[in-house]
């Protein structure tokens, strides 16, 4: 590997996803000299429009939203010092059950083998040592997150073995801390109904099943600023409401499940590149 730097590839669904779950590792490893490659699968057209206008409401223009979110994504990449941004530019499918799920060109409707073939070409070009994406449920069931998981795992199988592959996750202890923080900022927040509570309980993993804990506290300021760069979606980004100091306390540790490894690095680990350097 003397002829090239260590390379991290993160595969995400929408503009702003790169900052939420992996902003810390992208900033940290860039600072350590790792080449950081971000693949964003959709154009983000189902996000809020200027002035907070919602998808489906009068005045929501997907083309305007796409252009705006592209600028925000580029600003986030600059803050996180991401080396390379690749856009697959599939149409944003929206939340599960939205009309966009079945729209022509939507990511959710795209055959997995098609998306995987495009991603595999990027993997052959960049030759990542570490690939990061979502778990089978897209962390919380978003169709584009699920599809990003599917094409990533298919692309990994289509290319030379990637030394290490990870899925983002959240330990249940952190989920409880987030719930407490949300109540701290929304004192009138109602208790979730049983179905919603059951769905929330499925998110993340017991702490003992998390394989990889990466301390990115020193880069939480960059992570916060990268999220803030996605200003058009600020109403939907709860983490920005807590301020940078509280954000750093809650978001300083990024956690993963290692699902492929050729290095034999011992678990649990505190470095995605354990066994590679």
């Amino acid at each position: 590997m003397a002829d090239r730097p260590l390379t991290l590839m993160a595969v995400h669904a929408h503009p702003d996803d790169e900052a939420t779950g992996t902003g810390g590792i992208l900033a940290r490893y860039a600072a350590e000299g790792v080449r950081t490659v971000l693949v964003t699968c959709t154009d983000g057209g189902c996000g809020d429009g200027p002035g907070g206008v919602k998808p489906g409401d009068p005045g929501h223009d997907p083309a305007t939203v796409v252009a705006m979110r592209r600028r925000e994504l580029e600003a986030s990449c600059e803050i996180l010092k991401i080396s390379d941004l690749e856009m697959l530019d599939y149409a944003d499918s929206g939340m599960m059950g939205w009309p966009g799920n079945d729209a022509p060109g939507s990511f959710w409707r795209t055959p997995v083998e098609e998306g995987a073939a495009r991603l595999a070409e990027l993997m052959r070009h960049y030759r990542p040592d570490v690939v990061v994406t979502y778990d089978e449920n897209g962390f919380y069931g978003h169709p584009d997150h699920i599809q990003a998981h599917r094409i990533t795992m298919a692309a990994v199988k289509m290319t030379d073995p990637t030394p290490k592959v990870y899925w983002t996750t959240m330990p249940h202890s952190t989920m409880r801390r987030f719930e407490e923080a949300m109540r701290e900022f929304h004192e009138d927040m109602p208790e979730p109904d049983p179905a919603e509570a059951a769905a929330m309980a499925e998110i993340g993993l017991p702490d003992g099943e998390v394989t990889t804990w990466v301390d990115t506290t020193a880069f939480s300021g960059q992570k916060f600023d990268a999220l803030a760069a996605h200003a058009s979606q600020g109403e939907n980004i709860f983490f920005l409401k807590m301020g940078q100091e509280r954000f750093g306390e809650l978001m300083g540790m990024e956690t993963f499940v290692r699902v492929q490894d050729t290095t034999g690095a011992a678990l649990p680990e505190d470095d995605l590149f354990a066994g590679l350097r």
Side-chain angles (χ1 to χ4, degrees):
M1 294 189 293
D3 62 332
R4 64 184 182 89
L6 288 169
T7 300
L8 165 67
M9 176 180 282
V11 183
H12 281 291
H14 312 97
D16 77 26
D17 290 334
E18 80 288 341
T20 307
T22 58
I25 59 165
L26 288 165
R28 170 180 162 167
Y29 289 121
E32 293 178 4
V34 171
R35 186 177 195 176
T36 51
V37 181
L38 170 64
V39 181
T40 302
C41 297
T42 80
D43 58 16
C46 287
D48 290 357
V53 62
K54 302 296 182 184
D57 286 351
H60 185 276
D61 176 29
T64 298
V65 175
V66 167
M68 176 178 63
R69 298 197 72 184
R70 176 61 185 254
R71 292 191 297 271
E72 293 175 341
L73 177 60
E74 290 171 349
S76 172
C77 288
E78 186 172 344
I79 291 165
L80 297 173
K81 308 302 181 188
I82 290 170
S83 309
D84 301 271
L85 170 63
E86 297 283 355
M87 299 284 293
L88 298 186
D89 275 330
Y90 290 107
D92 188 341
S93 310
M95 301 296 286
M96 192 66 81
W98 285 18
N101 294 179
D102 297 316
S106 74
F107 190 38
W108 183 239
R109 185 172 170 176
T110 299
V112 169
E113 56 271 20
E114 176 191 319
R118 294 182 61 197
L119 182 56
E121 281 302 306
L122 294 175
M123 289 181 176
R124 293 185 188 104
H125 175 72
Y126 289 107
R127 293 187 290 162
D129 302 283
V130 173
V131 170
V132 176
T133 192
Y134 314 99
D135 63 18
E136 307 103 313
N137 192 45
F139 186 60
Y140 68 97
H142 193 296
D144 287 332
H145 290 219
I146 294 170
Q147 188 76 329
H149 162 86
R150 290 173 176 171
I151 73 161
T152 301
M153 300 313 294
V156 165
K157 291 180 179 178
M158 295 166 65
T159 55
D160 292 336
T162 301
K164 305 184 85 174
V165 179
Y166 294 88
W167 298 343
T168 56
T169 192
M170 191 171 289
H172 286 168
S173 61
T174 302
M175 289 292 295
R176 288 191 293 271
R177 290 169 62 205
F178 279 146
E179 193 173 314
E180 291 166 4
M182 290 181 73
R183 294 194 177 282
E184 176 185 330
F185 286 90
H186 300 281
E187 294 180 359
D188 57 348
M189 189 172 74
E191 291 290 337
D193 63 42
E196 184 180 341
M200 288 293 292
E202 294 297 316
I203 296 176
L205 289 172
D207 289 34
E209 294 180 22
V210 175
T211 66
T212 310
W213 305 67
V214 184
D215 186 353
T216 62
T217 305
F219 302 92
S220 58
Q222 278 176 264
K223 182 173 176 173
F224 184 89
D225 290 344
L227 268 175
H230 296 280
S232 68
Q233 309 306 306
E235 183 182 332
N236 305 317
I237 304 175
F238 159 74
F239 305 113
L240 294 175
K241 297 177 174 64
M242 61 179 66
Q244 189 164 319
E245 183 176 349
R246 188 83 168 100
F247 177 88
E249 294 171 0
L250 287 171
M251 301 287 283
M253 185 72 71
E254 292 186 350
T255 47
F256 308 87
V257 175
R258 194 174 81 190
V259 296
Q260 179 169 305
D261 175 65
T262 64
T263 70
L267 295 176
E269 58 187 1
D270 60 5
D271 178 10
L272 297 180
F273 290 88
L276 290 168
R277 57 182 179 177

